[in-house]
Amino acid sequence: MSRRISYREAMREALRDALRGDPRVFLMGEDVGRYGGTYAVSKGLLEEFGPERIRDTPLAELAFTGAGIGAALGGMRPIVEVMTVNFSLLALDQIVNNAALYRHMSGGQFSVPVVIRMATGAGRQVAAQHSHSFEGWYAGIPGIKVLAPATVEDARHMLAPALADPDPVLIFEHAALYNVEGDLPDACEPDIRSAKVMRPGKDVAILAYGGSLHKALAAAETLAAQGIDAEVVDLRVLRPLDDATLMASVAKCRRAVVVDEGWRSVSLASEIMARIVEQAFFELDAPLARVCSEEVPIPYARHMEEAALPQPEKIVAAVKGMFA
Amino acid sequence: MSAVEHPAPPPPAGPVPYDKAFAHRLLADMLRIRRLEEKAAELYGETKIRGFLHLYIGEEAVGVGALHALTSADNLVATYREHAHALLRGMDMGALMAELYGTREGCARGRGGSMHLFDRATRLFGGNAIVGGGLPLAVGLALADQMQGTQRVTACFFGDGAVAEGAFHESMNLAALWRLPVLFCCENNLYAMGTAIERHESQVDLRGKAASYGMPAVAADGMDVVAVHEAAKEAVAHVRERGGPMFVEFRTYRFRAHSMYDAELYRQKAEVEEWKTRGPIHTFTARLKAQGKLTEDEFLALDAAADAEVERAVAFAEAGTWEAAEDLSTDLYTPPGAVP
Ligand SMILES: Cc1ncc(C[n+]2csc(CCOP(=O)(O)OP(=O)(O)O)c2C)c(N)n1
Ligand SMILES: [Mg+2]
């Protein structure tokens, strides 16, 4: 059995569950309370849980993210909402220099059980300063875990294991997904370790995550009509990467395309390609390909923005290039 | 009129308002820190200690006076110049010295070194080497206490240099806005590395900055352990009773280089010499002697005890072992079953 639900509602249900289930859990961030959440994810939670636990913060990404880390050190289970990844750059020091390092640098004395959520990605004509995809940068940092829920199932079920995790977990929610509806199965086995094959295929592995997953699935449909049977894998967890699932898919299909909304150079896509070369080079029948964002600031004008981002047509073209 | 750029305050005067035992405790702690760090500097010369080593010599009255106003239940967040703070929290000097050596017996298993002393048992949440990096953590620790109804003060130490960081201002605002029990302890030694305070602050009276966030702000003579302790006691009481934050500026001076690499081109020798005449250990010693609360023999005994403790700490560190290189990634993440 399943029910129809939006990504936003799924996330909200996950938050509500977490807040009901553990008095140590609280949500803090800019406009999470009275405003109802920038993307309306936390709408209604203030009324149910009150201003202590649905805590509006000033515009101070560095301090409130650091305060979340400190509160985690102090025994709480904070969920810090950074409005978008763009503004998380102002909090980067606390995430990298405190959250990620504390356990190791203290010789194992202090874990930081904080969850930091943020919206990411482009595609809504909000121009260059609001269209970044920096999750790949974060995925390069030892000491944290990085999740990218792309489905209603993961929006609903990744938060609980993230909160149960004793180490810092970052959750990237693609802003274009909040309105997307999907079928949420009643029974799920949530994990924050594995990648997932979303569409089995045999001719090419398309490895994607977040907002790009849906573009990859659309591309796979187009390819199917043209006789190419693509396997689509949702990375789900960007750090640590589930190499085993990715390599199994690559080995089966013998061709692979990585789709990543981050800028191409030094991207998550580059890392995945390097791993494929290291671990599955002899399984390949064709050079690897990637579809990333063009290396320009993301423009405002719709046709220009579309040209800058990964699109199903670009994925289709990349795949067909492998069979040429 | 002093001819130096940053004149020292008049020497502390007046009777020491403490009984003999407590006065001796304060003096003993200042001596323990001083002897520990003199030894550390020597060991640095012998390359037993490497990397960055920031000495607190000259500033001991601040740490000693302030930390004696806290209880063991309180939280502490410190900077990279934190040997004194760790020791005063109750960290074993051997574990501290071993950390400077980088051995497995160190308080952070040799992972952190001088700038990253951690001690869960005494609620020392680090040694933070990002200037201003500890302030948001202190705010969060205090928030956790407020939300859990725990009666505790979080003391956060930072330098004058940190006051120019955004982290300082954001943290002050948040702590005041949410009335969190944080004691902000600014160790104003007049320099951020080589940049004198009037070259990095538009307003050199730092109290005004804290006051602008609506929290009480006071300054104390950081060369006088009595003045520090009295100011800290009042401030701790304020934070404990009212639940809101408070800011205390301790005006002090660093006698040594910023770290071990520093040609000290940015300040006058005469200025350093003038401040050294206000050295917290000998002025306090002189006052106690004048009051009949300390004899020369007692002083020598306290000093000898400090030396002996340092010697034991060095022996402990010398006998240390190295963490196996295979354990490099141990504790990158919390092992299953370990409670964070
Ligand atoms: C964010 C940041 N910027 C620069 C440095 C390099 N640095 C280390 S200590 C220091 C001076 C800090 O001065 P202050 O806060 O007054 O502390 P003090 O060293 O005088 O105790 C600087 C610039 C740093 N560690 N962190
Ligand atoms: Mg300074």
Side-chain angles (χ1 to χ4, degrees), chain B residues 159-161 187 189-192:
Chain B
D160 50 292
E187 299 173 314
N189 59 13
L190 298 169
Y191 291 89

Side-chain angles (χ1 to χ4, degrees), chain A residues 52 55 58 60 62-63 67 69-71 74 76 94 97-98 102-104 106-111 143-144 167 239, chain B residues 107-109 111 118-120 124-125 128 130 133 136-137 140-141 143 147-148 170 174 178 328 330-331 333-335 340:
Chain A
E52 291 280 304
R55 187 174 280 266
L62 181 65
I69 296 164
M76 300 297 283
Q94 288 293 321
N97 276 314
N98 286 343
Y102 253 50
R103 174 91 200 169
H104 193 266
S106 68
Q109 292 185 78
F110 291 107
S111 299
I144 60 177
D167 297 310
R239 183 181 192 94
Chain B
C107 62
R109 290 219 306 270
R111 298 278 184 83
F118 287 88
D119 191 16
R120 194 177 177 81
L124 169 59
F125 292 87
N128 207 304
I130 302 300
L137 293 186
L141 283 161
L143 175 61
M147 293 185 78
Q148 294 170 113
E170 293 187 17
L174 215 50
W178 292 346
L328 192 56
T330 303
D331 281 316
Y333 295 98
T334 308

Side-chain angles (χ1 to χ4, degrees), chain A residues 86 121-132 297-301 305:
Chain A
N86 311 285
R124 296 169 309 118
Q125 282 195 271
V126 288
Q129 292 181 331
H130 284 72
S131 296
H132 291 298
I298 308 299
Y300 160 69
E305 181 182 46

